[in-house]
Structure formats: structure tokens, C-alpha cells
């Protein structure tokens, strides 16, 4: 796998990587470059890759709040990274999926650790 940093590359990486093994298999210089380019530690990036729900639920949640995930990643990459990290560490993925599938944004706002950020971004 060749990873070249570009606009939205982290979102594409999360969507395209088959598993964390590919990231771990990168040459140490390439991993260092990824770390430097993104400001995300190896551990946080691995957490995001292990947390497959981030790829599915975060874009859905952002859309429910009226936010374009790709535009956010291009325009406010640091904010997107924070949202991804928070989502990766969240323990209520089943409830989140159900609330988003049911379009129950009001309840989602009460339980999602990213809700405050997404509400501000969606204004």
C-alpha cells in the first residue's frame, strides 16, 4: 500500500485499509512521515483503524448534523481528527448506530461525546 498525504487522505486511509496490519507493515520512515503530516500518533491512528465503526458511524452522524465529512476533513482537518479519535474510543456504538438509523438526533445529542462539536459545526 502506498500512502501519499493529500486532502482527505486520512478518511480515505480509514476507508481503504484492510486492517491495522498494513499500517504496522509500513516502513518506519513512512509511518514517521504519516505521524508528522497528520499530527496523529501511531497509537491513535491504530485505534482509529481498529475501531471500524468510525468509518461507518462518524460520516453518518456528521450528515445528520448537516455537515459534509469530506469538506470538514479538507477544511478543518484537526477538528476531524479530534472527532475520529473521540468516536474511536466511544463505548456506545450499538446505541449510536440505532439512533442514527432511526434518525433520532435529539437522543443522539444527549449520548454522543462528539455531539457538542458537531452541533457547533452544523450551525
Amino acid at each position: 500500500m502506498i500512502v501519499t498525504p493529500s486532502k482527505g487522505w486520512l478518511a480515505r486511509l480509514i476507508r481503504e485499509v484492510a486492517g491495522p496490519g498494513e499500517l504496522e507493515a509500513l516502513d518506519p520512515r513512512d509511518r514517521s512521515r504519516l505521524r508528522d503530516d497528520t499530527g496523529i500518533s501511531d497509537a491513535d491512528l491504530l485505534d482509529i483503524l481498529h475501531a471500524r465503526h468510525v468509518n461507518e458511524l462518524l460520516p453518518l452522524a456528521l450528515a445528520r448534523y448537516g455537515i459534509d465529512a469530506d469538506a470538514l476533513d479538507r477544511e478543518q482537518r484537526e477538528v476531524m481528527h479530534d472527532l475520529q479519535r473521540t468516536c474511536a474510543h466511544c463505548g456506545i456504538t450499538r446505541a449510536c448506530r440505532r439512533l442514527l438509523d432511526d434518525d433520532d438526533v435529539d437522543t443522539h445529542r444527549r449520548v454522543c461525546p462528539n455531539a457538542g462539536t458537531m452541533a457547533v459545526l452544523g450551525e
Side-chain angles (χ1 to χ4, degrees):
M1 175 180 78
I2 298 173
V3 178
T4 51
S6 63
K7 292 182 179 180
W9 76 269
L10 184 60
R12 284 190 299 279
L13 176 70
I14 291 170
R15 283 192 295 269
E16 294 170 7
V17 169
E22 290 188 39
L23 180 65
E24 293 165 344
L26 285 175
D27 180 275
R29 291 179 303 235
D30 291 334
R31 287 181 65 184
S32 177
R33 200 170 91 222
L34 279 174
R35 189 177 53 252
D36 293 344
D37 287 346
T38 64
I40 293 179
S41 70
D42 284 342
D44 282 339
L45 193 51
L46 286 171
D47 285 345
I48 290 169
L49 291 172
H50 282 290
R52 293 295 204 196
H53 67 274
V54 173
N55 183 39
E56 178 188 350
L57 296 179
L58 184 57
L60 185 58
L62 288 167
R64 294 290 193 267
Y65 286 78
I67 303 160
D68 180 314
D70 291 331
L72 179 63
D73 193 41
R74 279 191 312 275
E75 297 164 11
Q76 297 183 57
R77 186 164 292 148
E78 299 81 20
V79 173
M80 182 60 120
H81 291 172
D82 287 341
L83 291 168
Q84 290 168 329
R85 264 192 300 274
T86 301
C87 188
H89 294 288
C90 182
I92 61 163
T93 56
R94 281 189 196 152
C96 180
R97 180 175 283 112
R98 182 179 37 78
L99 293 170
L100 293 172
D101 286 346
D102 293 345
D103 203 18
D104 189 351
V105 177
D106 291 333
T107 303
H108 188 268
R109 283 189 174 136
R110 291 195 300 268
V111 299
C112 177
N114 277 325
T117 302
M118 290 188 292
V120 169
L121 290 169
E123 292 179 345

